[in-house]
Amino acid sequence: MQVTVKQTGEEAWKLWVDPYSPIWKLKVEIKKKFGLNGQQRLSFQEPGRERQLLSSQRTLAYYGIFSKVTVWVLETSPPEIQVFVKNSSGQSKPYAIHPDNSIYDLKKEIEEAGGPNVADQILKFQGWKLWNHRSLSDLQIEDCDTITLIRRGCS
């Protein structure tokens, strides 16, 4: 089956894989073909549903994926964490960031990946507005948490 692999800020790639092959083999193919060196986290999102991480020990078939799918790859280097940023349409993108980085640093990454300007972003976590000077660790934002992005003036 065909898998489209996307990485924030990069062009999409196409791979052919066996849906019954373990996800770790897909990660090996991604590493080999695209020269990624860090740890990989793969995820996918069905329309109207939450993003799901793909376990290395599972298969695409385990997740009910038997036809074309888009998989997001996030390359991380310890001690970075992965956070998902969900926009108003319900789509989320993964970002690798150090827990001691500030919310402002995350906003800059969102802007660099084609999102709204830093000044136009409001980020919320568990219903609370996040202030630019606070770090992710201060706010108890952990690996795989989801942060909501609201465009200023569109709340």
Side-chain angles (χ1 to χ4, degrees):
M1 68 175 268
Q2 185 179 27
V3 173
T4 301
V5 180
K6 287 188 176 182
Q7 187 176 22
T8 301
E10 301 291 334
E11 285 190 40
W13 317 309
K14 305 263 189 223
L15 292 174
W16 290 93
V17 299
D18 176 354
Y20 295 99
S21 182
I23 302 287
W24 67 263
K25 287 188 177 182
L26 174 58
K27 288 181 177 183
V28 169
E29 285 299 311
I30 291 170
K31 180 177 183 172
K32 193 168 36 174
K33 183 162 181 146
F34 307 109
L36 302 180
N37 294 316
Q39 282 194 304
Q40 296 175 44
R41 294 207 175 123
L42 304 183
S43 63
F44 78 104
Q45 183 175 13
E46 295 174 348
R49 306 211 47 199
E50 290 293 316
R51 182 170 297 282
Q52 284 188 287
L53 290 176
L54 297 173
S55 169
S56 294
Q57 304 310 312
R58 305 278 187 198
T59 66
L60 292 174
Y62 171 85
Y63 295 96
I65 302 170
F66 295 98
S67 60
K68 289 183 182 179
V69 66
T70 298
V71 171
W72 282 88
V73 61
L74 183 70
E75 183 180 23
T76 63
S77 302
E80 288 180 332
I81 62 171
Q82 172 180 258
V83 295
F84 294 104
V85 177
K86 184 191 292 187
N87 63 24
S88 60
S89 67
Q91 293 294 319
S92 58
K93 284 187 177 180
Y95 291 87
I97 191 161
H98 193 283
D100 291 336
N101 282 18
S102 69
I103 295 301
Y104 183 79
D105 294 328
L106 177 58
K107 286 181 175 183
K108 287 192 300 190
E109 284 196 35
I110 294 167
E111 180 180 352
E112 289 169 7
N117 293 332
V118 169
D120 295 331
Q121 297 178 36
I122 297 171
L123 296 181
K124 289 187 173 185
F125 179 65
Q126 298 179 341
W128 296 93
K129 182 177 176 181
L130 303 177
W131 298 98
N132 287 345
H133 68 280
R134 300 288 304 274
S135 73
L136 279 75
S137 59
D138 285 346
L139 297 164
Q140 298 181 355
I141 296 171
E142 299 177 351
D143 194 39
C144 299
D145 279 342
T146 299
I147 296 170
T148 304
L149 168 64
I150 300 167
R151 284 183 184 253
R152 194 169 300 283
C154 299
S155 55

